[in-house]
Amino acid sequence: MKILPEKLVTQKHLFVSLAFAVVLSGCTQQPDLSEGERAGQEPEGQYVISSREGLKTIGSGVMMQAFYWDVPEGGTWWNNVKDKVTDWSTAGIDAIWLPPVSKAHNGAYSMGYDPFDYFDFGQYDQMGSVETRFGSASELESLVNEAHRNGLNVIADIVVNHNSGGDAEDNIFTGGQTYTDYNPASGMFYRDMYDFHPNDYHSGDSRTFGGFADLCHHKENVQNWLWKDANSVARYYRDQIGFDGWRFDYVKGFEPWVVKAWTDEVGGFAVGEYWDGNAATLDWWTGEAGAGAFDFACYYRMRDAFEGNDLTRLGDDMLWKRNPMRSVTFVTNHDTDEIYNGKMLAYAYILTHEGYPTVFYRDYEEWLDKDKLNNLIWIHNNLAGGSTDILYNDNDEYIARRNGYNNQGIIVYINNSGSWQEKWVDTNWGSSVIKDYTGHSGWEPVTEADKRVKIEAPPKGYSVWSVK
């Protein structure tokens, strides 16, 4: 694979749309669950999308956000991530989400969200540097190849609401000068005042961002270069670089048909950053865009629950409860970090509930207990299937049952109080020995014939129960 805009390669594998499929886990760190039990599980109610040949099925595991805001400068990040993908894959990660990969206005200092040349991945001397903040084009190529060798899908961060770094031109639509004359060194996607708001198509866009030049997606030149043509951004990123899916930045800034048009053209997993805590609004957007959305409703309810010491908020409306197939859950990301004291409890929540969970790089690699996160990832991938019933909920305690497949499933008990708590609960297992798969409790109780059992959870902690 060569990342050269002058040459295109033939697509070897077709992307397909969202579909249900049997999920077989490649993670065998905990042998208590047999291969036969795992093979009987179907990923009902979560994101599942077929991938390129040899890769894991997106939605069968967990996504890793493989960066944070202001990662180290100096072009080392792609190599840093490359060194970690084998361990991540072994832990049960099925996809890595990278920051925007193309050259941006601030060159070697930019996190990529001020895009200038969509086809410069660190090989052209412009915007003050050759490499991007993250590294060179060849280092990106090596990272993608290594991720694919380990079965991981690679998700591109797509910033198509705005651009930055254009030259000044006399703009007939504003009556003054605007920085809307783009002449990228790659020779790809020249654009000018006609491609931005305001223009001859419409007078403006109510959702501009940060004073940046605002792309007009109704213009034919913009559509052709972003997704329609054979050398479009979408096709090039898929066929030449090897991206397997898309994370769309600031989708409030443009209409949802843009995301749908993109994925209709090139396929692939897609999730949008629609920053809104209203589950109904998120549900509407996913239907219009034909894509998933980060579950900000879940994020804000978890913040209220764990930081506000009110676990009743976990009973509130969230996208995963309305449409788990379209919900991508998260505890924090490069823009948000409002859950502090209860962060492990929040991960226990998203990694045992419906939706497609995301783990944040710094939480996994720096801030939290990696062994505990790996344990929850294993539980998610191997035990936490089926529909969800909330069994108990008050300010300090939350208990839910995942009903599983073939009589497996789990019961998760989250305890935000300062002491051990215990409760009798209804399970799906009659006269069965159960255990806490987190190891926090040493109990191995036997369920009653009527399927009831007493379980416990540690202070400021959690337990996850299933048949032994």
Side-chain angles (χ1 to χ4, degrees), residues 233-269:
V233 173
R235 290 183 184 277
Y236 191 90
Y237 281 39
R238 180 192 67 182
D239 300 341
Q240 189 81 342
I241 304 179
F243 279 112
D244 307 290
W246 325 102
R247 180 266 184 188
F248 289 92
D249 180 65
Y250 189 58
V251 296
K252 276 189 174 182
F254 49 90
E255 294 164 293
W257 65 261
V258 173
V259 171
K260 190 172 190 307
W262 179 296
T263 56
D264 283 349
E265 193 72 32
V266 297
F269 167 89

Side-chain angles (χ1 to χ4, degrees), residues 6 18 60 72 103 107 110 116 126 177 257 262 273 294 299 321 350 355 359 380 386 390 404 410 453 455 463:
E6 294 82 4
L18 287 168
S60 64
K103 186 68 63 63
S110 176
F116 173 75
Q126 58 182 337
Q177 283 200 329
W257 65 261
W262 179 296
E273 182 209 28
F294 286 104
Y299 169 75
K321 297 180 180 182
I350 69 167
V359 174
H380 170 271
I390 297 177
I410 61 169
V453 72
I455 57 175
S463 55

